[in-house]
Amino acid sequence: MAKKNLEIHGAMMENTFPIYKVDAIVQFFRTEVLTGQEAKHFAKGDLTPNPKTDVLQRLYMRILELVYRFRPDCHYLVPLSENLQHPMLHEWSTPILNLYACMCQFLPVCHVYDFSLNDLLNPKPKRTITILSGIQNFLHFRKHRLEIMAGHQQAFRADMDKLQSCTKGIKEAEKKIEKLMTIPPEQQAEAKELAAALTQLKNATVQETQAVNALNEQVTECKSEIAERSQKLKEKKLEVATHKDEIAKLKSQIVESPEELKNEMEKMKESIKNIKISKELADERLVEVQIDVQCTSQGEVEIQVILKQLHDLQASMCKTNQQKEEVQNLVALYESLQKELKGLSNEEGQLKRALAMKYDKQSKQQIRHQKKKELKDHNVQKILGQYDKVHEKREEIVDQIKNINRETMQLKAKMQKLRDTCNQNTEKAQAIYDRLLTTLEQYHKRLKNLVMEGSADIMKMKSNF
């Protein structure tokens, strides 16, 4: 016993949790564990200086209900696997043993490894304070972890909602892309006709632009020729004017010979004829150029009509380009959503890894706790062996009680028979008594009549005397 006490003291000294004050413990269990009237009636006097067993047992039951959802009513149930003849005899021991087994499984989580039946049946103040402080420390830790897990769950749900909205958006975008990319069957024929018309118009516009470019080149060449010829005419007119001035000066200075004058005049006539011929050729060329210009104006009108058609086609092409841009934007949206999906999947993988690490740690802790539980189960089995011996003794006592009950039943039957016979005898006596009473009453009446008659006779005798 001394060694065990030393081991328990050593375990108590090596606690990994702080030992709280009694006021703090009472306040915590009032606010966090107990409810209603139990919280109101729970006070410091229930723990110190003499802990109350009923209050502590009820508190432990409420703690188990909070942590494991194990209702206090379940502690009072006898296991169904055992075929007990008289379960009423186990009403006192069943809840205590169930509570002890549950607390032996729960308290190692709170780093309390030396819980015993004495802590339930005969609690001590220091011991109860250490146990309750360990439970309080665990409940603080549990509450903190529950808040963290609730935050993780909310974040996970928000991420899942985002993921669902992203997937919905991606599906809608894919449907829109399919609608934009696919031409309906009603408009396919029109689209083919428009494409064929576009190709024809493009070919015609290319040919006409080539023809217009050729005409523009010819017009520019004609204009350049006309400009050159007009410059030459101006130069020749200037030369003729200068020649006339010179001739006039020479005429005034020199007496010309008729032959030279004739030759010069013939030369001048020939030059004038040449100038006239060149003028006529230039006029003809101007007429041709004017005709070409009229043709070009008609071509320009036709080109403007074609340009209007091209503008219309360009507007339709702009619409198609806008649709293509929308498709590109949707594709970019799709890619960004896919990136967000990848990021969310990576976050989900990280969360899963963190959860796996937590589960590994929990499994390791469970293995450690399992080993400690096995030791405790061995001790519990020893206690249960002692309990079985007590149970056998109780069965012997129950058999004796059965025998006594049988004898009492027999005695009760005999007593009942005697009572029946007594009742019959009393009934007969009552009948006889009733008969006697009636006869006595009749006798008394007769006596009264005789007394009355005797008194009358005596009065007669007195009167006669």
Side-chain angles (χ1 to χ4, degrees), residues 7 9 27 48 54 157 198 202-203 208 231 247 269 276 288 330 342 353 358 373 380 392 395 397 405 407 423 425:
E7 288 175 358
H9 185 69
Q27 186 64 29
T48 56
D54 297 334
R157 284 173 185 169
L198 273 170
K202 282 179 181 178
N203 294 322
E208 287 176 357
Q231 284 177 0
I247 287 163
K269 285 178 181 178
K276 285 181 179 178
E288 290 176 356
L330 289 168
K342 286 180 181 178
R353 286 172 188 168
K358 287 180 182 177
K373 282 178 186 178
V380 170
E392 288 176 357
E395 285 181 352
I397 292 161
N405 286 325
E407 290 176 357
N423 288 324
N425 291 323

Short mmCIF file of all heavy atoms in Angstrom, two decimals, residues 7 9 27 48 54 157 198 202-203 208 231 247 269 276 288 330 342 353 358 373 380 392 395 397 405 407 423 425:
data_model
loop_
_atom_site.label_atom_id
_atom_site.label_comp_id
_atom_site.label_asym_id
_atom_site.label_seq_id
_atom_site.Cartn_x
_atom_site.Cartn_y
_atom_site.Cartn_z
N GLU A 7 3.63 5.78 -5.66
CA GLU A 7 3.46 5.88 -7.11
C GLU A 7 2.39 6.89 -7.48
O GLU A 7 2.54 7.70 -8.40
CB GLU A 7 3.09 4.50 -7.68
CG GLU A 7 4.26 3.52 -7.67
CD GLU A 7 3.82 2.13 -8.13
OE1 GLU A 7 2.62 1.97 -8.40
OE2 GLU A 7 4.69 1.24 -8.20
N HIS A 9 1.44 9.44 -5.67
CA HIS A 9 1.96 10.77 -5.37
C HIS A 9 2.91 11.24 -6.46
O HIS A 9 2.88 12.41 -6.87
CB HIS A 9 2.67 10.73 -4.02
CG HIS A 9 3.14 12.10 -3.57
ND1 HIS A 9 2.27 13.10 -3.19
CD2 HIS A 9 4.40 12.61 -3.46
CE1 HIS A 9 2.97 14.18 -2.87
NE2 HIS A 9 4.26 13.92 -3.02
N GLN A 27 -16.82 27.73 -10.83
CA GLN A 27 -17.35 28.65 -11.83
C GLN A 27 -17.35 28.03 -13.22
O GLN A 27 -18.32 28.17 -13.99
CB GLN A 27 -16.50 29.94 -11.83
CG GLN A 27 -17.03 31.04 -12.73
CD GLN A 27 -18.38 31.55 -12.29
OE1 GLN A 27 -18.71 31.53 -11.11
NE2 GLN A 27 -19.19 32.01 -13.23
N THR A 48 -15.06 20.93 -1.05
CA THR A 48 -14.22 21.07 0.14
C THR A 48 -15.08 21.45 1.34
O THR A 48 -16.09 22.13 1.18
CB THR A 48 -13.15 22.16 -0.08
OG1 THR A 48 -13.79 23.37 -0.44
CG2 THR A 48 -12.14 21.75 -1.12
N ASP A 54 -22.58 12.08 -3.98
CA ASP A 54 -23.69 12.19 -4.93
C ASP A 54 -23.46 13.31 -5.93
O ASP A 54 -23.70 13.15 -7.14
CB ASP A 54 -25.00 12.46 -4.17
CG ASP A 54 -25.37 11.29 -3.25
OD1 ASP A 54 -24.93 10.17 -3.56
OD2 ASP A 54 -26.08 11.51 -2.25
N ARG A 157 -16.41 24.63 -46.27
CA ARG A 157 -17.72 24.78 -46.91
C ARG A 157 -17.73 25.95 -47.88
O ARG A 157 -18.30 25.87 -48.98
CB ARG A 157 -18.79 25.00 -45.83
CG ARG A 157 -19.16 23.73 -45.08
CD ARG A 157 -20.07 24.02 -43.91
NE ARG A 157 -20.34 22.83 -43.12
CZ ARG A 157 -20.92 22.83 -41.94
NH1 ARG A 157 -21.31 23.98 -41.39
NH2 ARG A 157 -21.13 21.70 -41.28
N LEU A 198 -19.61 36.31 -99.90
CA LEU A 198 -18.41 37.03 -99.45
C LEU A 198 -17.21 36.72 -100.34
O LEU A 198 -16.45 37.62 -100.73
CB LEU A 198 -18.11 36.66 -98.00
CG LEU A 198 -18.80 37.46 -96.91
CD1 LEU A 198 -18.58 36.80 -95.57
CD2 LEU A 198 -18.26 38.88 -96.88
N LYS A 202 -15.40 39.37 -102.60
CA LYS A 202 -13.96 39.61 -102.43
C LYS A 202 -13.23 39.49 -103.77
O LYS A 202 -12.38 40.34 -104.11
CB LYS A 202 -13.38 38.61 -101.43
CG LYS A 202 -13.68 38.97 -99.99
CD LYS A 202 -13.11 37.94 -99.05
CE LYS A 202 -13.44 38.29 -97.60
NZ LYS A 202 -12.92 37.27 -96.67
N ASN A 203 -13.57 38.42 -104.53
CA ASN A 203 -12.93 38.26 -105.84
C ASN A 203 -13.25 39.42 -106.77
O ASN A 203 -12.38 39.98 -107.46
CB ASN A 203 -13.37 36.94 -106.46
CG ASN A 203 -12.88 35.74 -105.68
OD1 ASN A 203 -11.75 35.75 -105.17
ND2 ASN A 203 -13.69 34.70 -105.58
N GLU A 208 -12.01 44.50 -109.52
CA GLU A 208 -12.35 45.90 -109.77
C GLU A 208 -11.29 46.85 -109.22
O GLU A 208 -10.98 47.87 -109.84
CB GLU A 208 -13.71 46.21 -109.16
CG GLU A 208 -14.86 45.59 -109.95
CD GLU A 208 -16.20 45.81 -109.29
OE1 GLU A 208 -16.21 46.39 -108.18
OE2 GLU A 208 -17.23 45.41 -109.87
N GLN A 231 3.21 72.51 -120.48
CA GLN A 231 4.45 73.23 -120.18
C GLN A 231 5.24 73.53 -121.47
O GLN A 231 5.79 74.62 -121.66
CB GLN A 231 5.31 72.40 -119.22
CG GLN A 231 4.82 72.45 -117.79
CD GLN A 231 5.64 71.58 -116.87
OE1 GLN A 231 6.60 70.94 -117.35
NE2 GLN A 231 5.28 71.57 -115.59
N ILE A 247 11.98 89.75 -133.81
CA ILE A 247 11.73 90.07 -135.23
C ILE A 247 11.35 91.55 -135.37
O ILE A 247 11.79 92.26 -136.32
CB ILE A 247 10.62 89.16 -135.77
CG1 ILE A 247 11.19 87.75 -135.94
CG2 ILE A 247 10.08 89.65 -137.11
CD1 ILE A 247 10.14 86.68 -136.07
N LYS A 269 5.31 79.32 -140.63
CA LYS A 269 4.08 78.63 -140.99
C LYS A 269 4.17 77.15 -140.65
O LYS A 269 3.22 76.54 -140.11
CB LYS A 269 3.77 78.82 -142.48
CG LYS A 269 3.26 80.21 -142.81
CD LYS A 269 3.02 80.33 -144.33
CE LYS A 269 2.52 81.75 -144.70
NZ LYS A 269 2.33 81.91 -146.15
N LYS A 276 -0.40 73.61 -134.44
CA LYS A 276 -1.82 73.31 -134.59
C LYS A 276 -2.06 71.81 -134.54
O LYS A 276 -3.00 71.32 -133.90
CB LYS A 276 -2.35 73.89 -135.91
CG LYS A 276 -2.54 75.39 -135.86
CD LYS A 276 -3.09 75.88 -137.20
CE LYS A 276 -3.31 77.41 -137.16
NZ LYS A 276 -3.82 77.91 -138.48
N GLU A 288 -10.25 62.00 -125.14
CA GLU A 288 -10.11 60.60 -124.69
C GLU A 288 -9.96 60.53 -123.17
O GLU A 288 -10.56 59.67 -122.50
CB GLU A 288 -8.89 59.98 -125.37
CG GLU A 288 -9.09 59.74 -126.86
CD GLU A 288 -7.84 59.19 -127.52
OE1 GLU A 288 -6.79 59.09 -126.80
OE2 GLU A 288 -7.87 58.88 -128.71
N LEU A 330 -14.48 34.19 -72.69
CA LEU A 330 -15.02 33.03 -71.97
C LEU A 330 -13.95 31.96 -71.79
O LEU A 330 -13.87 31.31 -70.74
CB LEU A 330 -16.23 32.46 -72.72
CG LEU A 330 -17.51 33.31 -72.67
CD1 LEU A 330 -18.51 32.79 -73.67
CD2 LEU A 330 -18.10 33.31 -71.28
N LYS A 342 -7.66 24.36 -59.61
CA LYS A 342 -6.41 23.70 -59.24
C LYS A 342 -5.93 24.17 -57.87
O LYS A 342 -5.49 23.38 -57.05
CB LYS A 342 -5.35 23.98 -60.30
CG LYS A 342 -5.56 23.21 -61.59
CD LYS A 342 -4.48 23.53 -62.60
CE LYS A 342 -4.70 22.79 -63.92
NZ LYS A 342 -3.70 23.13 -64.93
N ARG A 353 -4.03 16.28 -46.16
CA ARG A 353 -2.76 15.83 -45.58
C ARG A 353 -2.68 16.20 -44.10
O ARG A 353 -2.23 15.38 -43.27
CB ARG A 353 -1.61 16.48 -46.32
CG ARG A 353 -1.38 15.89 -47.71
CD ARG A 353 -0.36 16.70 -48.48
NE ARG A 353 -0.27 16.26 -49.87
CZ ARG A 353 0.37 16.94 -50.81
NH1 ARG A 353 0.99 18.07 -50.51
NH2 ARG A 353 0.40 16.48 -52.04
N LYS A 358 -3.09 14.51 -38.50
CA LYS A 358 -3.79 14.52 -37.21
C LYS A 358 -4.30 13.13 -36.85
O LYS A 358 -4.20 12.69 -35.71
CB LYS A 358 -4.96 15.50 -37.27
CG LYS A 358 -4.53 16.95 -37.24
CD LYS A 358 -5.73 17.87 -37.31
CE LYS A 358 -5.30 19.33 -37.33
NZ LYS A 358 -6.45 20.23 -37.47
N LYS A 373 -5.01 1.20 -21.22
CA LYS A 373 -6.34 0.64 -20.98
C LYS A 373 -6.27 -0.85 -20.68
O LYS A 373 -7.03 -1.38 -19.88
CB LYS A 373 -7.23 0.87 -22.20
CG LYS A 373 -7.78 2.27 -22.29
CD LYS A 373 -8.61 2.39 -23.54
CE LYS A 373 -9.05 3.84 -23.74
NZ LYS A 373 -9.81 4.02 -24.97
N VAL A 380 -9.43 -4.13 -13.77
CA VAL A 380 -10.90 -4.20 -13.72
C VAL A 380 -11.37 -5.64 -13.71
O VAL A 380 -12.34 -6.00 -13.03
CB VAL A 380 -11.49 -3.41 -14.91
CG1 VAL A 380 -12.98 -3.66 -15.03
CG2 VAL A 380 -11.23 -1.92 -14.74
N GLU A 392 -21.78 -14.75 -6.60
CA GLU A 392 -22.10 -16.15 -6.24
C GLU A 392 -22.68 -16.23 -4.83
O GLU A 392 -23.67 -16.94 -4.58
CB GLU A 392 -20.85 -17.00 -6.36
CG GLU A 392 -20.42 -17.24 -7.82
CD GLU A 392 -19.11 -18.00 -7.92
OE1 GLU A 392 -18.53 -18.27 -6.83
OE2 GLU A 392 -18.66 -18.30 -9.04
N GLU A 395 -26.07 -15.11 -4.94
CA GLU A 395 -26.98 -16.13 -5.49
C GLU A 395 -27.35 -17.16 -4.43
O GLU A 395 -28.51 -17.61 -4.35
CB GLU A 395 -26.32 -16.81 -6.69
CG GLU A 395 -26.32 -15.93 -7.93
CD GLU A 395 -25.68 -16.64 -9.10
OE1 GLU A 395 -25.10 -17.73 -8.88
OE2 GLU A 395 -25.75 -16.11 -10.23
N ILE A 397 -27.45 -16.55 -1.23
CA ILE A 397 -28.40 -15.86 -0.35
C ILE A 397 -29.78 -15.80 -1.00
O ILE A 397 -30.81 -15.95 -0.35
CB ILE A 397 -27.88 -14.45 -0.01
CG1 ILE A 397 -26.64 -14.58 0.88
CG2 ILE A 397 -28.93 -13.63 0.70
CD1 ILE A 397 -25.76 -13.35 0.92
N ASN A 405 -39.01 -17.76 1.13
CA ASN A 405 -40.24 -17.27 0.49
C ASN A 405 -41.24 -18.41 0.27
O ASN A 405 -42.46 -18.22 0.41
CB ASN A 405 -39.92 -16.60 -0.84
CG ASN A 405 -39.27 -15.24 -0.65
OD1 ASN A 405 -39.60 -14.52 0.29
ND2 ASN A 405 -38.35 -14.89 -1.53
N GLU A 407 -41.45 -21.16 2.13
CA GLU A 407 -42.03 -21.47 3.44
C GLU A 407 -43.07 -20.43 3.84
O GLU A 407 -44.14 -20.78 4.35
CB GLU A 407 -40.92 -21.54 4.48
CG GLU A 407 -40.01 -22.76 4.30
CD GLU A 407 -38.86 -22.77 5.29
OE1 GLU A 407 -38.77 -21.78 6.06
OE2 GLU A 407 -38.06 -23.73 5.29
N ASN A 423 -63.53 -17.53 9.46
CA ASN A 423 -64.62 -16.73 8.91
C ASN A 423 -65.92 -17.52 8.89
O ASN A 423 -67.00 -17.00 9.22
CB ASN A 423 -64.27 -16.25 7.50
CG ASN A 423 -63.21 -15.17 7.50
OD1 ASN A 423 -63.20 -14.32 8.41
ND2 ASN A 423 -62.32 -15.20 6.54
N ASN A 425 -66.61 -20.07 10.85
CA ASN A 425 -67.05 -20.24 12.24
C ASN A 425 -67.67 -18.97 12.78
O ASN A 425 -68.68 -19.00 13.51
CB ASN A 425 -65.88 -20.67 13.12
CG ASN A 425 -65.42 -22.09 12.79
OD1 ASN A 425 -66.25 -22.97 12.47
ND2 ASN A 425 -64.12 -22.35 12.84
#
